[in-house]
Amino acid sequence: MSSNRRYHDSVYRKAKRAGAKVITIEPFGAEVFLFRGVSAFCDQFEKIFGVTPSPPDPRYVMGFYGAEDLGDGEGVHVICVGDEHGVDYPEDVIWHEALHCTVCVLDQFGVRFDVET
């Protein structure tokens, strides 16, 4: 187990059972939970964290990045890539959501990130 992991082992086991992946962004140790399918996201997220999230309508989006509120002043980074439109892991959606996540993680750790840097 990485020393950067901030959640209890049971969260990682629940994520694995729910079909979510967890990646750690080094050197910060920020963790991002990856989900497949906007429709399935709510059920999977609730199974892992015990909190009902508020995703966008899967009819209108192919994916999203969010920092979901766990209700205790803590948040969790989430990337969800939809498969509802008959496209498995559309590359442009993955890149787009990963960029949102990158900007937020860098900001969280005080790294100035803009077009100049």
Side-chain angles (χ1 to χ4, degrees), residues 37-42 53-68 78-82 84-85 93 97:
V38 177
S39 297
F41 166 72
C42 280
S54 53
D57 190 324
R59 295 174 295 176
Y60 305 114
V61 299
M62 291 285 293
F64 65 90
Y65 161 78
E68 289 289 335
V78 170
I79 292 178
C80 180
V81 177
E84 287 82 6
H85 301 277
V93 174
E97 302 311 334

Side-chain angles (χ1 to χ4, degrees), residues 29-109:
E31 292 177 324
V32 180
F33 288 76
L34 305 171
F35 296 87
R36 181 177 182 184
V38 177
S39 297
F41 166 72
C42 280
D43 181 52
Q44 293 170 343
F45 190 89
E46 191 166 358
K47 284 178 182 174
I48 297 167
F49 295 103
V51 176
T52 303
S54 53
D57 190 324
R59 295 174 295 176
Y60 305 114
V61 299
M62 291 285 293
F64 65 90
Y65 161 78
E68 289 289 335
D69 182 7
L70 297 179
D72 57 2
E74 291 288 321
V76 59
H77 296 284
V78 170
I79 292 178
C80 180
V81 177
D83 58 0
E84 287 82 6
H85 301 277
V87 180
D88 279 345
Y89 293 109
E91 186 176 331
D92 57 334
V93 174
I94 294 169
W95 282 107
H96 178 89
E97 302 311 334
L99 182 58
H100 283 300
C101 183
T102 300
V103 171
C104 290
V105 167
L106 289 173
D107 183 60
Q108 174 186 356
F109 289 91

